[in-house]
Amino acid sequence: MALPFLPGNSRNRQLGKDRFHKSQHFDYSNGVPLLVGTEKPGIGGELLLGQEIKPKFSVYPKGQGSDLPAWVAFDKQVLCFEAFCKEDETRARDEKYRIRKFQIFFFLEDDTMQVVEPENKNSGTPHGTLIRRQRVPLPPPDDDQFYNIFHLNLNQQMVLYARTFTVANCDSFTRNFLTKLGVILNDPVPAPADPHSCLLDKIEKSMTPLRPYERRDTLKQFLDHDREVLRFNCFWDDSESVFGDPHQLTLHYYLSDDTVEILETIAPNSGRDNPAKFLHRSKLPRHSAMMKQPGQMTDRTVLNVFDSNNQGKRYLLDSLKTGALQDDCYVDRDLKVGGEVNVWGRRVIITDCDDFTKEHYRSKYGIEEFTPLQYKSPVAPKPPRPVPPYNGFGSEEDSLSSCQRLQPKTPQKDFRKFMDKDRCGLESNILNFRAKMVTSDPVDRERVFVISFYLSDDSISVFERAQRNSGVLGGKFLERGRVKKPGQQLFKSQPSEYFTPQDLYVGATLVFNEKPFKLLDADEYTLNYMEKHAAEFPQANVGNILSKLRSIGEEKRSEIRKFLALSDPSKTGFIPYESFRGLMSGLDCALSDHEVLVLARGFSQSEQQEADVGLMLAVAQDVLRKKQFEDLPHMARNFLHCDWHKTGRLSSKEVRSICKASHLPLPESLLTALLSKFADGDQIDFHAFLTGIDWVENAAPRVMPDDILKFALNVRSAAGGAAGKKVNYSSLLDQVFGFIVNNNADPTTTAAS
């Protein structure tokens, strides 16, 4: 029993639908209302009762994988068919029809077709594209539809724009594609013979030309050996002729066409003009002593077989070439090192060849002997050019330049060294030493100087520090410039020696303008630079210093152990730097003060305790408060801009650069100490750093002047070098002498291992 058609008793067809549009069935064409939607669906795209819509494009069966559109899945995929058509011929008497062959291309991406006729020689009809790529409609009465993939098959006729084509065959891709779609292909049929093509083939076979072409296949040799050239060094002795002299030549043999080219090498100041070429590129005959006249050498020989005044003359090509002249030309196997070449009557001797030529003869002919031929005497050495002594005018370089050229030039400086050693960021490339004057004058003895050596141009400048109540004005003592070493003659031929970076080290004595200076100390940058470049500075090479210590005798070693035991009564393994310096100075191993300083720095440990982070931040906020620095938000934006990965961390170099760019008014020592406290490896948490120094939002307690002074002394002592540190003599003895100091035993009785 069926349920009544009441609400709630029947299925609602609108459930799950999201399209309720109504298709447009009427439109205006040239102002006339027309019915245009006879095949359009109903509401929501659903077909009307009894309505069937024919697909406009090929409908392919659904397969596995992603559901891609046809223009993506079948991009650049084309079906190719071979077809022919029969046309009536009305222009020729002997022909009634012609068979024309075509290729039909079907593009799978948009169901377009293209018909192309291949070229047929001497057919008398135009060839090429017959139907351009487009969608081709079906013949009437189905002309409202277009050809799709299921309309194509073999051994059937297709009407394309009123022209009937018979599909004869297809390629393998087309056959496989249609078979996978389920299309049953018919058997291919051969195209019928074309009467016109048969006639042309018959005529071509019966033709016997009176002048047969002689073809020489040189393309293969050109393709195999293009840009491959054999290079020989040659020699032609023309000294027997008037005003003749030896000639140095270069012979090029081109493997692509067996031609030869010869160039002449003109020596400088030889009095000869440099010609373009000694021999232009051409084939070089073996035995010809003079050039052939025009027309004397030809590729063909013509025979006069009939001569009559009434009937004219008759000529015929000599296929046997009975009167042809053949010149034997040089080939690559005729050229070898030490051999002779006849270059149009000139005797040229091959002396040497390049590496490519040697490899060619080694691989092709198995030749291994390529000994160069010595054809000229060795070049005589140039006589020395003595340099006159310095005359006292200008610098020595200027005087030497005036002796080398008629027009003197400014002496060139070492620009590469200047670019490498010039100031770059925090790298100043300047070595600074503290020095005092070596003199008996009590006033000059107390004067303190700063000697700066500039690595970019090896120049030196001396600056004197001003001291209160000394009676001496400070300032520039020596202008920056290169300084000569003392004890050299002024007027001499040899160039003067100047001070180099290796001459400056702690403990060295330098003489500037007859004033001796002794270097007492160096700044931290100078010591670090010399230790970093230990290969350039022998005084800072720890390996050389340890080698000197290992050369000490056994008696001296025992004295060293006793001295260290007395200097370290508490047996901590550390002694003060002054005691260590006195010990090293008393040894007979010729250690300089700089070497002792470097050795102490390598085995030192700071005796200062780490500064309090809270005190450092309080001091930093006090400095920023006094300077009225309120640009911290701008610094925060710069930090966030450089933090591309949004990690809240930047490298120490980037944080320091942003602080310098923002003109953060903190001392260098305080900034370095703060960055080291907030550093985690090479990364710094810039949020914590900005929060710590923010004196507006996160104000720290006010610091007293005594705390500021205490912090300044700690920082200065920590950066003061080896003088403020203790030396780990136990580690030094272990590395130098190979024994370990036992702190619990009596060092005076310990024997060396």
Side-chain angles (χ1 to χ4, degrees):
M1 178 178 180
L3 296 176
F5 191 71
L6 295 175
N9 295 331
S10 61
R11 185 176 62 86
N12 190 357
R13 296 184 178 181
Q14 307 298 332
L15 292 177
K17 293 182 59 177
D18 55 356
R19 299 176 61 188
F20 301 95
H21 69 280
K22 184 177 181 181
S23 302
Q24 183 178 355
H25 292 260
F26 297 92
D27 198 357
Y28 283 89
S29 178
N30 297 327
V32 179
L34 297 176
L35 179 64
V36 297
T38 56
E39 295 185 358
K40 290 189 176 182
I43 296 177
E46 293 185 356
L47 298 180
L48 299 177
L49 185 62
Q51 184 182 19
E52 293 182 1
I53 297 180
K54 299 179 181 179
K56 296 183 178 181
F57 294 91
S58 300
V59 179
Y60 300 97
K62 298 294 182 180
Q64 297 180 356
S66 59
D67 190 8
L68 296 177
W71 57 272
V72 175
F74 301 115
D75 184 28
K76 298 182 180 179
Q77 296 187 13
V78 185
L79 305 183
C80 180
F81 297 90
E82 297 179 3
F84 63 89
C85 69
K86 182 178 180 181
E87 290 187 351
D88 296 334
E89 181 62 40
T90 59
R91 298 174 295 179
R93 296 182 302 174
D94 301 335
E95 301 178 18
K96 295 183 180 180
Y97 64 93
R98 286 190 180 183
I99 302 298
R100 300 179 62 179
K101 298 180 181 180
F102 298 90
Q103 287 184 342
I104 300 177
F105 298 101
F106 185 85
F107 297 86
L108 298 174
E109 55 182 326
D110 54 0
D111 291 354
T112 56
M113 301 178 65
Q114 182 182 10
V115 181
V116 179
E117 182 179 8
E119 182 180 358
N120 190 8
K121 187 178 179 180
N122 296 329
S123 64
T125 57
H127 302 91
T129 303
L130 181 65
I131 300 177
R132 298 190 179 186
R133 180 178 175 180
Q134 56 184 294
R135 298 200 67 190
V136 180
L138 294 173
D142 299 327
D143 52 353
D144 57 340
Q145 302 180 32
F146 298 92
Y147 277 99
N148 56 37
I149 193 172
F150 296 102
H151 292 116
L152 305 176
N153 205 330
L154 303 182
N155 195 8
Q156 71 175 13
Q157 292 185 348
M158 299 176 58
V159 179
L160 307 179
Y161 294 114
R163 186 187 295 264
T164 304
F165 296 87
T166 302
V167 181
N169 203 347
C170 64
D171 58 1
S172 58
F173 172 77
T174 304
R175 184 181 300 276
N176 295 334
F177 187 84
L178 294 177
T179 303
K180 291 180 180 180
L181 287 182
V183 178
I184 301 176
L185 292 177
N186 302 328
D187 296 332
V189 295
D194 182 22
H196 180 71
S197 300
C198 297
L199 179 61
L200 292 179
D201 294 341
K202 183 178 179 180
I203 295 175
E204 185 176 0
K205 292 180 180 179
S206 62
M207 292 178 60
T208 55
L210 299 178
R211 299 185 178 185
Y213 295 99
E214 299 178 2
R215 183 177 179 179
R216 300 176 182 177
D217 186 11
T218 59
L219 180 60
K220 183 178 185 303
Q221 181 182 0
F222 173 78
L223 296 177
D224 293 343
H225 303 287
D226 186 26
R227 298 179 180 272
E228 295 184 3
V229 183
L230 306 182
R231 189 172 186 267
F232 298 90
N233 297 331
C234 305
F235 173 73
W236 173 43
D237 189 4
D238 191 31
S239 57
E240 297 181 357
S241 60
V242 181
F243 305 112
D245 54 359
H247 296 263
Q248 186 177 356
L249 308 176
T250 301
L251 187 146
H252 293 159
Y253 183 88
Y254 295 86
L255 295 174
S256 59
D257 54 359
D258 298 331
T259 55
V260 176
E261 177 187 58
I262 301 179
L263 308 178
E264 183 175 3
T265 304
I266 304 297
N269 302 325
S270 62
R272 291 182 175 272
D273 293 334
N274 191 6
K277 291 181 181 179
F278 186 83
L279 177 66
H280 284 276
R281 180 177 175 179
S282 60
K283 290 193 175 183
L284 182 62
R286 296 173 181 267
H287 308 292
S288 296
M290 56 186 302
M291 295 288 293
K292 302 293 183 182
Q293 298 297 327
Q296 189 174 357
M297 292 290 298
T298 58
D299 296 337
R300 299 179 180 180
T301 303
V302 181
L303 301 178
N304 186 0
V305 298
F306 184 77
D307 187 4
S308 174
N309 295 331
N310 298 331
Q311 299 182 3
K313 300 180 180 180
R314 298 291 184 272
Y315 300 96
L316 180 66
L317 288 177
D318 185 8
S319 60
L320 299 179
K321 299 182 180 180
T322 55
L325 299 178
Q326 296 291 338
D327 275 353
D328 189 11
C329 299
Y330 281 101
V331 293
D332 57 345
R333 62 175 176 272
D334 301 325
L335 306 177
K336 61 181 180 179
V337 177
E340 299 181 1
V341 180
N342 180 18
V343 182
W344 300 106
R346 296 167 179 82
R347 181 172 172 267
V348 177
I349 301 175
I350 300 177
T351 59
D352 199 2
C353 60
D354 61 356
D355 296 336
F356 174 77
T357 306
K358 295 178 182 178
E359 183 62 27
H360 172 77
Y361 281 94
R362 188 180 293 110
S363 60
K364 186 175 181 180
Y365 298 106
I367 300 177
E368 297 290 343
E369 184 65 26
F370 301 100
T371 304
L373 182 64
Q374 300 294 336
Y375 63 93
K376 57 182 178 181
S377 58
V379 180
K382 294 183 179 180
R385 300 175 59 182
V387 179
Y390 175 55
N391 54 14
F393 293 96
S395 63
E396 295 184 5
E397 291 79 4
D398 292 336
S399 299
L400 182 61
S401 178
S402 63
C403 298
Q404 294 175 347
R405 300 178 180 86
L406 294 177
Q407 295 181 354
K409 294 183 178 181
T410 304
Q412 299 293 330
K413 297 182 179 180
D414 192 349
F415 185 75
R416 183 181 296 275
K417 181 178 180 181
F418 172 78
M419 294 299 296
D420 293 341
K421 300 297 183 180
D422 192 22
R423 177 184 293 273
C424 181
L426 300 178
E427 292 291 334
S428 62
N429 290 317
I430 301 175
L431 307 182
N432 296 317
F433 296 88
R434 183 171 62 88
K436 283 191 175 183
M437 191 178 297
V438 181
T439 178
S440 59
D441 189 351
V443 177
D444 294 341
R445 192 185 305 165
E446 300 299 329
R447 299 167 66 180
V448 180
F449 300 89
V450 177
I451 300 177
S452 301
F453 189 92
Y454 299 86
L455 297 174
S456 59
D457 55 357
D458 294 345
S459 59
I460 297 176
S461 66
V462 181
F463 181 83
E464 182 178 2
R465 292 181 179 179
Q467 302 183 34
R468 299 180 62 183
N469 301 327
S470 63
V472 180
L473 296 177
K476 188 182 297 183
F477 183 83
L478 178 63
E479 185 74 23
R480 177 180 174 180
R482 300 179 66 189
V483 181
K484 298 180 181 179
K485 292 184 178 181
Q488 302 183 69
Q489 297 181 2
L490 179 60
F491 304 103
K492 61 182 184 304
S493 299
Q494 293 78 15
S496 299
E497 295 183 5
Y498 294 87
F499 282 106
T500 60
Q502 290 74 21
D503 299 327
L504 278 72
Y505 54 89
V506 178
T509 301
L510 309 178
V511 179
F512 300 150
N513 296 336
E514 300 181 358
K515 299 289 184 180
F517 294 87
K518 185 175 182 179
L519 305 184
L520 303 179
D521 198 0
D523 60 359
E524 189 69 17
Y525 174 80
T526 302
L527 296 176
N528 291 334
Y529 183 88
M530 296 178 71
E531 293 172 4
K532 184 178 179 181
H533 302 82
E536 302 177 11
F537 299 93
Q539 299 292 335
N541 195 328
V542 181
N544 295 342
I545 301 173
L546 296 179
S547 299
K548 292 181 180 180
L549 292 178
R550 293 189 182 98
S551 62
I552 299 176
E554 186 64 29
E555 297 181 359
K556 286 289 183 180
R557 297 184 183 183
S558 178
E559 295 179 4
I560 292 174
R561 291 195 297 272
K562 292 180 181 180
F563 179 83
L564 294 176
L566 297 176
S567 301
D568 185 20
S570 59
K571 301 180 179 58
T572 60
F574 296 89
I575 61 174
Y577 170 72
E578 295 298 334
S579 301
F580 178 78
R581 178 182 178 184
L583 173 63
M584 293 293 107
S585 301
L587 298 178
D588 297 334
C589 54
L591 288 180
S592 63
D593 294 345
H594 194 99
E595 291 176 332
V596 174
L597 180 60
V598 171
L599 191 62
R601 286 168 55 86
F603 296 91
S604 62
Q605 179 177 353
S606 177
E607 61 181 2
Q608 299 294 334
Q609 298 180 357
E610 295 185 358
D612 186 12
V613 180
L615 178 60
M616 295 170 59
L617 294 176
V619 173
Q621 290 188 8
D622 186 71
V623 174
L624 297 179
R625 185 184 299 108
K626 292 179 180 179
K627 298 291 185 179
Q628 292 296 319
F629 184 77
E630 299 178 353
D631 205 12
L632 292 177
H634 179 66
M635 290 182 58
R637 289 192 295 269
N638 292 339
F639 282 129
L640 292 175
H641 176 73
C642 296
D643 186 15
W644 293 353
H645 301 288
K646 306 303 179 183
T647 59
R649 295 177 177 271
L650 291 175
S651 63
S652 302
K653 184 177 180 181
E654 292 177 333
V655 173
R656 182 182 293 273
S657 300
I658 295 176
C659 292
K660 293 296 183 182
S662 302
H663 303 286
L664 187 66
L666 290 180
E668 182 65 25
S669 59
L670 179 57
L671 179 61
T672 304
L674 282 175
L675 294 181
S676 63
K677 294 299 181 182
F678 288 95
D680 185 9
D682 190 42
Q683 300 292 322
I684 294 178
D685 186 358
F686 58 85
H687 292 294
F689 173 72
L690 291 176
T691 304
I693 64 175
D694 190 357
W695 60 276
V696 179
E697 300 292 339
N698 304 309
R702 294 297 183 97
V703 293
M704 302 303 294
D706 297 340
D707 296 334
I708 298 177
L709 180 60
K710 178 181 178 181
F711 174 76
L713 292 175
N714 290 339
V715 173
R716 185 178 304 173
S717 177
K725 300 180 180 180
K726 288 188 176 182
V727 180
N728 187 355
Y729 70 88
S730 59
S731 177
L732 175 62
L733 294 179
D734 182 25
Q735 188 168 353
V736 175
F737 302 126
F739 60 85
I740 302 176
V741 176
N742 188 1
N743 294 330
N744 297 325
D746 187 5
T748 60
T749 61
T750 304
S753 59

